[in-house]
Amino acid sequence: MGRARKNLTLEARIEVARRFDAGESAKDLAAAFGISPRHVNRLAKEEAGEGIAVRDPSETVAFRASRSELDAFDVEWRERGFANR
């Protein structure tokens, strides 16, 4: 049987990443916070601005808008340097 999922608070996630960056081992931090050493490494990468979450910041959204709202959005979007929506 696997380990139970552990949801860390944002503060705990930041603390894990900072302590890892300060030199504590992933194994020691994993034991202290009840997570896997692999999770410690993922948290450290997130804090450093690396990893899967950072590599693909795009997100698909759906909404309803009138033609005039879409036209206004397109104008604003182009002014900000984007070629398409």
Side-chain angles (χ1 to χ4, degrees):
M1 223 162 144
R3 185 184 303 228
R5 289 185 62 101
K6 174 88 173 185
N7 291 325
L8 297 176
T9 64
L10 178 60
E11 292 81 11
R13 295 169 67 93
I14 292 169
E15 183 178 348
V16 168
R18 289 187 179 155
R19 286 172 59 177
F20 181 79
D21 191 47
E24 287 189 55
S25 74
K27 184 178 177 182
D28 291 342
L29 287 168
F33 286 88
I35 57 177
S36 71
R38 184 171 177 215
H39 197 153
V40 171
N41 285 309
R42 281 197 306 265
L43 293 175
K45 282 185 176 186
E46 280 180 19
E47 185 70 15
E50 301 172 8
I52 293 172
V54 177
R55 277 186 250 138
D56 186 11
S58 63
E59 186 173 329
T60 302
V61 296
F63 62 93
R64 292 177 186 239
S66 67
R67 172 54 53 195
S68 62
E69 290 171 320
L70 284 175
D71 292 340
F73 177 83
D74 289 339
V75 168
E76 179 72 24
W77 205 239
R78 278 189 223 100
E79 287 175 1
R80 293 175 184 245
F82 296 97
N84 57 42
R85 58 178 126 108

